[in-house]
């Protein structure tokens, strides 16, 4: 992930957090070790090459915990097809999954086609827009006599 993309993701996380959402971010760094720069990013869990087995399955301890959590929403901001991230996404028990449209990739409940503008900031804007159009069901009121 480049610095500009990371900044866009951080801004998105801050926005969601200000809206009262609990956000957990997972990212992959394509190096043998995670550089200190990334370790200092609050609210992010990163994994790297040393956390992958020979099948490219991520084996960092936090990955299984992440996949086992029943999130209300899981947003995939990955701009490339990369098996370890797809693996985590596919395993996730999230109730609703959203990400960019990828032919043959059927783990999403909602996809955004960004083929005309493959920019992470554009993807974030589109996801934000379309999620804002989805209204959550109001809780049923119960009257007691």
């Amino acid at each position: 992930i480049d610095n500009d993309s990371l900044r866009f993701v951080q801004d998105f996380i801050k926005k969601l957090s200000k809206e009262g959402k609990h956000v957990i971010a997972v990212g992959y760094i394509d190096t043998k070790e995670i550089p200190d720069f990334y370790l200092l990013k609050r609210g992010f869990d990163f994994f790297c090459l040393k956390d992958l087995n020979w099948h490219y399955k991520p084996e960092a301890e936090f990955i299984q915990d992440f996949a086992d959590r029943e999130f209300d929403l899981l947003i995939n901001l990955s701009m490339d097809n990369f098996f370890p991230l797809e693996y985590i996404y596919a395993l996730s028990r999230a109730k609703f999954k959203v990400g960019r449209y990828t032919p043959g990739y059927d783990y999403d409940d909602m996809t955004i086609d960004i083929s005309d503008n493959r920019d992470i900031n554009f993807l974030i804007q589109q996801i934000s827009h379309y999620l804002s159009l989805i209204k959550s069901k109001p809780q049923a009121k119960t009257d007691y006599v």
Side-chain angles (χ1 to χ4, degrees):
I1 188 168
D2 62 71
N3 288 335
D4 285 338
S5 296
L6 185 58
R7 185 174 39 81
F8 291 133
V9 172
Q10 284 178 300
D11 290 347
F12 186 46
I13 288 170
K14 285 179 190 173
K15 175 185 174 277
L16 293 173
S17 295
K18 284 181 182 176
E19 293 173 0
K21 313 240 183 339
H22 177 71
V23 180
I24 298 172
V26 172
Y28 174 77
I29 307 297
D30 195 26
T31 59
K32 288 184 182 181
E33 297 288 328
I34 299 171
D36 291 340
F37 170 78
Y38 292 103
L39 295 174
L40 301 174
K41 299 296 176 192
R42 215 172 69 189
F44 281 84
D45 284 320
F46 289 101
F47 65 102
C48 63
L49 282 170
K50 75 173 182 169
D51 297 313
L52 304 177
N53 70 13
W54 65 280
H55 294 293
Y56 270 72
K57 176 184 165 193
E59 293 188 328
E61 189 173 313
F62 73 88
I63 297 294
Q64 191 60 50
D65 294 338
F66 182 85
D68 287 341
R69 289 185 71 165
E70 289 190 30
F71 294 106
D72 291 330
L73 174 65
L74 180 60
I75 300 172
N76 182 354
L77 295 176
S78 177
M79 297 303 289
D80 298 304
N81 299 340
F82 185 64
F83 178 77
L85 292 173
E86 291 173 4
Y87 177 84
I88 296 166
Y89 195 70
L91 277 185
S92 173
R93 298 175 62 201
K95 295 174 187 170
F96 191 81
K97 298 177 185 181
V98 61
R100 70 179 168 80
Y101 171 73
T102 303
Y105 189 76
D106 60 354
Y107 302 112
D108 296 296
D109 296 298
M110 182 172 79
T111 60
I112 308 292
D113 185 358
I114 60 165
S115 57
D116 292 339
N117 187 352
R118 284 191 43 87
D119 176 72
I120 193 166
N121 192 40
F122 180 72
L123 177 60
I124 290 169
Q125 290 170 358
Q126 295 301 301
I127 288 173
S128 295
H129 171 74
Y130 286 104
L131 288 177
S132 73
L133 299 176
I134 298 173
K135 304 279 188 227
S136 58
K137 260 194 319 192
Q139 296 295 325
K141 287 187 178 182
T142 305
D143 293 323
Y144 295 97
V145 179

